[in-house]
Amino acid sequence: MSLAEDLLELALETAREAGRMLVDKRPVGGPDVVHTKSSPTDVVTQMDQAAERLIVERVRAARPGDGFLGEEGGTHAGDSDVRWVIDPIDGTVNYLYDLPDWAVSVAAEVDGVAVAGVIDMPRRGETYTAVRGGGALLRTPHGARELQVNAGVPLDRALVATGFGYAAQRRAHQARVLTGVLPKVRDIRRGGSCCVDLCSLAAGRVDAYYERGVQAWDVAAGALIVQEAGGLVGGLDGAPASPELTIAAGPGTFEALHDLLRPLDPGHD
Ligand code: IPD
Ligand code: CA
Ligand code: CA
């Protein structure tokens, strides 16, 4: 097995264990909010923290020298070339409200490049995986299938997923951008999890995705899954995807969405 395949195996086992724990141990009546981040609605629950601890412990036990970037634990430099990028619950507000669309996201980077990614959605019974250069899979209890984005969907036929930040000022501008997008596309979906959105794109369940403010842990695994499903992921004017703006879509649709967004100035608050 290649290093990337080894890392995928560990990511898969670990993300699924965390996903099961999050379902089995979700407190009746919902998890406690232990603190908030960018706004009073940007919440962290004890379950976000417990899931990240579990993932880090499992990975450390198997690969003691690796580094970590975890949403709830910050950065720990390692002494190997491998870094793990973790969002223990993407879609925490959905998890809090007991809506099913939340995910555990685990990516492994080698020298800063994501080579293996897993997004586990236990409430859907779906796990999405990708190895760089090896394609992307949707695994369910009934089997696995290769993922392929929809390509060349004209904007007026495109179903576009997006999301909004937690801070009021950012949302006000995101709402202005949306007024330029909504009349030009088939429709918009706001599901509440960037990882679910990117996997839906990879599976052909939406045609495009864009969002300002998503961080490395939101997109590390999902961007690899989209690319391995034949999609494009980037920012404005050829820049890489970043917290400023992330656009993802199949070839043809990506460029059209980029050109629609560009004059709407989507990369600031
Ligand atoms: C959030 C989700 C949401 C997106 C936000 C993210 P979190 O992640 O991905 O869909 O709109 O930008 O912060 O806080 O649930 O891990
Ligand atoms: Ca997230
Ligand atoms: Ca999170």
Side-chain angles (χ1 to χ4, degrees), residues 8 85-87 90 103-109 114-121 128-132 135-137 147 149 193-203 209 214-234 241 246-249:
L8 182 79
V85 184
I86 301 160
D87 192 341
D90 184 64
V104 178
S105 179
V106 179
E109 296 175 341
V115 298
V118 174
I119 294 181
D120 186 49
M121 298 174 200
Y128 294 75
T129 65
V131 170
R132 186 162 295 278
L137 290 179
L147 295 170
V149 299
S193 161
C194 164
C195 289
V196 173
D197 290 343
L198 290 170
C199 291
S200 297
L201 172 62
Y209 165 79
V214 286
Q215 305 293 321
W217 48 78
D218 296 307
V219 300
L224 179 63
I225 291 166
V226 167
Q227 287 164 341
E228 289 298 324
L232 302 170
V233 181
T246 296
I247 306 171

